Amino acid sequence: MAEQAAKDPFAPPPKTGIDRRTFVRRTVGSAAVGAVGAGAFSLGVPLSTTLGLKIKRFPYLGAARIKGPAPKGIPMIPIQVDEDGFLNGKTSVEGIGNILEWYGYCSHDAAPGLKESFTQDNKLYYFQNPEKIHHAEDAGIKIWYKDLLDKPLHIDHFTEPGMGAPFKWRSHGQLDNNIITGIAIRVNPSEVKGKTSLLDEFVDRDIIAFCSFCSHFCCVPGFKETKQAIVENVNEMIFCTCHGSVYDPKLIQEYQFPPNG
Ligand code: FES
């Protein structure tokens, strides 16, 4: 395997044009966009219209964006609790398609785990940036899964609604952008609102999960892990500190991805 730079996979991208350019390149193809300057688009602008290109789009279910600059919701990952109680991600859902395709954006398109053949292990493993844990604890926030890092998520760990944790999935031995990540949350099903018959395919034993790439500039949002979320009264939400986008994990909507078609 080629040597990979040891950098923090959770680090937010620069807030200048490079990551937007990267996202755009992944979305419509590098040749077509080579001459397009950074900052030329908002991700909410129809690129296919602007460039006269036909881009591939696919449906997804997502937590609704309720605040901030993100153009669309953050995608759900379908969950299945196995017979031993471990939380697994499902790689496909009838009526939706290949879930792994959602991860082919935000510069993660080369992650080996996106290939079905990479692994049969679809368990989710606790995964968090130590610096984020440090900041959370400094702010008086208890990170309940701190001693479980790198262990598989188990249904018995989520003892009550409102508990959530970040995870990695299909990423054994991977670094940086080859790691695919998400957030799992136990919910009270009666509180989940969503106009979709597909929701049952995504929820198991009251656990729901989301991809953790912000639909704005691909930063990694969190759940109940920052003082800022408490101060802004969005601690029950998925919150991206980069530019303040807020997603409601209990308000599910159907979208098309990429958001710029
Ligand atoms: S990357 Fe800008 S709000 Fe998330």
Side-chain angles (χ1 to χ4, degrees):
M1 186 193 319
E3 190 177 335
Q4 300 176 65
K7 65 180 184 185
D8 179 0
F10 289 95
K15 292 171 187 171
T16 52
I18 180 66
D19 283 87
R20 174 180 299 199
R21 190 165 56 228
T22 301
F23 187 99
V24 169
R25 188 165 55 239
R26 300 291 186 238
T27 305
V28 300
S30 57
V33 182
V36 176
F41 304 105
S42 154
L43 294 179
V45 171
L47 274 178
S48 51
T49 303
T50 308
L51 297 178
L53 298 172
K54 188 99 179 131
I55 63 173
K56 181 181 178 186
R57 303 185 78 216
F58 44 87
Y60 74 95
L61 297 188
R65 180 205 66 89
I66 59 169
K67 196 172 163 188
K72 290 211 175 178
I74 196 163
M76 289 187 87
I77 306 301
I79 291 297
Q80 190 161 41
V81 180
D82 68 24
E83 57 190 14
D84 296 317
F86 293 109
L87 274 55
N88 289 251
K90 292 198 279 189
T91 56
S92 65
V93 165
E94 202 174 330
I96 291 277
N98 181 5
I99 301 304
L100 298 173
E101 284 206 45
W102 293 335
Y103 280 107
Y105 295 84
C106 297
S107 302
H108 287 64
D109 53 330
L114 300 190
K115 291 197 177 67
E116 187 74 43
S117 58
F118 175 68
T119 179
Q120 297 300 307
D121 181 8
N122 280 300
K123 286 195 187 81
L124 312 180
Y125 292 83
Y126 292 97
F127 184 63
Q128 183 54 291
N129 179 345
E131 205 173 316
K132 280 192 175 180
I133 293 178
H134 180 70
H135 285 313
E137 292 184 331
D138 269 0
I141 300 167
K142 180 170 167 45
I143 300 296
W144 64 267
Y145 52 82
K146 178 180 170 186
D147 296 330
L148 295 168
L149 293 178
D150 293 326
K151 297 194 168 52
L153 278 66
H154 193 279
I155 190 67
D156 290 349
H157 300 159
F158 291 75
T159 53
E160 56 191 45
M163 292 179 75
F167 64 80
K168 64 180 176 182
W169 183 34
R170 301 177 59 81
S171 300
H172 293 304
Q174 302 304 307
L175 296 170
D176 306 333
N177 284 351
N178 281 351
I179 298 175
I180 54 182
T181 58
I183 301 168
I185 302 171
R186 180 176 163 193
V187 291
N188 181 339
S190 66
E191 294 177 355
V192 176
K193 301 179 187 66
K195 183 179 128 311
T196 171
S197 56
L198 289 166
L199 194 54
D200 285 351
E201 294 291 326
F202 283 75
V203 184
D204 196 5
R205 307 273 296 271
D206 301 347
I207 302 289
I208 58 177
F210 301 90
C211 168
S212 54
F213 301 160
C214 183
S215 71
H216 184 219
F217 279 170
C218 299
C219 289
V220 178
F223 181 71
K224 294 188 175 180
E225 65 181 28
T226 64
K227 186 167 185 187
Q228 192 180 344
I230 296 170
V231 169
E232 297 189 18
N233 202 24
V234 291
N235 202 40
E236 300 295 321
M237 306 288 168
I238 296 171
F239 179 54
C240 185
T241 55
C242 292
H243 312 96
S245 287
V246 176
Y247 305 90
D248 185 347
K250 291 188 270 190
L251 180 56
I252 306 303
Q253 295 182 347
E254 293 185 21
Y255 297 96
Q256 291 278 312
F257 197 89
N260 49 5

